[in-house]
Amino acid sequence: MSRETIELVVFRYNPETDCEPAYQRYQIPYHHDWLVLDALNYVKDHLDRSLSYRWSCHMAVCGSCGMMINGEPTLTCKAFVRDYADSIRIEPLANFPVERDLIVNQDDFMSKLASVKPYIIDTDDVPLSEGEELQTPAELAVFDQYTGCINCLLCYSACPQYSLSADFIGPAALTLAHRYNIDSRDDGFRQREERVGSDDGVWQCSFVGACSEVCPKGVDPAAAIQQGKITSAAHYFKKHLMPWSDS
Amino acid sequence: MSSHKPVFWALFAAGGTLSALLAPVLIFLIGFAVPLNLIDPEALGFARVSGALATISIALTMLVIIVLFLWHAAHRLRVTAHDLGWFPDSVAVVLFYGLAAAGSVASGWLLIGTT
């Protein structure tokens, strides 16, 4: 099959000048080894310098170039044009306010991410002079896959709960909270639990699993959240049935 | 503030696990084994089953199964109501949890109260 050109149908919106979004069509050359991101870069470099979108690493590490490709949340640097039909529709990530063209506003996610304290909280009083806090390979394996998250927000775009409940903390942030909760070096569970175990936390998830399907890094946010429910439920029952315990 | 959903989620999870294990067996027994005469139809006849339920341990086991099934269904319907936007969550809570509670009380009365 030889294709000379393909068409990109691109979502355009400039809130300063446009009343409403519109779709613009670009005919571009077809290259077998081009990613959708390469196609967008061709448009930007040769056809329309006003097209706005985020990208950086071009290798599925930075998490900047997530967009809807034919309606599915995808990293444009991980999707080859050869895998699509002759016309490819590109839109900004769903469930986020659009800043301009294919760029979405990530403020909501950023504040939610910070609120679950996604870093090691070490409250034991071992001085640094005692050296490293060692971890066995088994202890690493417990949380290893969840460290793969690159905050690309594809999971938020895919999540039907996030689209229904704006306050839902959402897949990536809850996964990172879980990643630290199950880290043997961490003592921060109770600090995070106030958010993670709230109605806006793991309990808002109804286990649709779309987050795990779209994750470009093979992280399984749905599993992290279900494991988080078990931990959170155990904490809840211990707190209410054994109030004298220090849980 | 910590959510009180763990209570209902625990019932939901227990009921889901139990129904996943038991429902296929029940469907096989009642839907296929008896109609196809793979087992003696009288094995699940009224007299034998009601006789078995006179034993308190069997009645209690049956009660646990029915109650957990009911709460599993109630929580699933609450979530579905939210997902499909049928009505506000507070209405779903009263309606579905209310039905499950009523069903649990009725099952308890029928299985234990009348024996």
Side-chain angles (χ1 to χ4, degrees), chain B residues 5-52:
Chain B
K5 277 190 185 166
V7 176
F8 302 104
W9 181 78
L11 289 166
F12 167 77
T17 307
L18 206 58
S19 61
L21 291 171
L22 294 183
V25 180
L26 288 172
I27 291 168
F28 173 74
L29 287 176
I30 300 168
F32 295 96
V34 170
L36 297 176
N37 270 325
L38 299 177
I39 58 170
D40 177 11
E42 278 311 301
L44 286 173
F46 178 81
R48 187 154 183 266
V49 172
S50 79

Side-chain angles (χ1 to χ4, degrees), chain A residues 161 164-165 194 197-199 203-204 206 229-230 233 236-237 239, chain B residues 1-10 76 79 82-85:
Chain A
Q161 279 316 326
L164 283 173
S165 313
E194 200 173 318
S198 72
D199 279 332
W203 301 110
Q204 192 65 254
S206 60
K229 283 181 187 172
I230 294 170
Y236 175 92
F237 286 117
K239 192 172 79 179
Chain B
M1 201 186 87
S2 81
S3 172
H4 293 297
K5 277 190 185 166
V7 176
F8 302 104
W9 181 78
R76 168 52 60 206
V79 173
H82 169 76
D83 287 355
L84 301 182

Side-chain angles (χ1 to χ4, degrees), chain A residues 226-240:
Chain A
Q226 305 326 301
Q227 289 167 10
K229 283 181 187 172
I230 294 170
T231 318
S232 185
H235 174 74
Y236 175 92
F237 286 117
K238 205 170 168 197
K239 192 172 79 179
H240 286 87

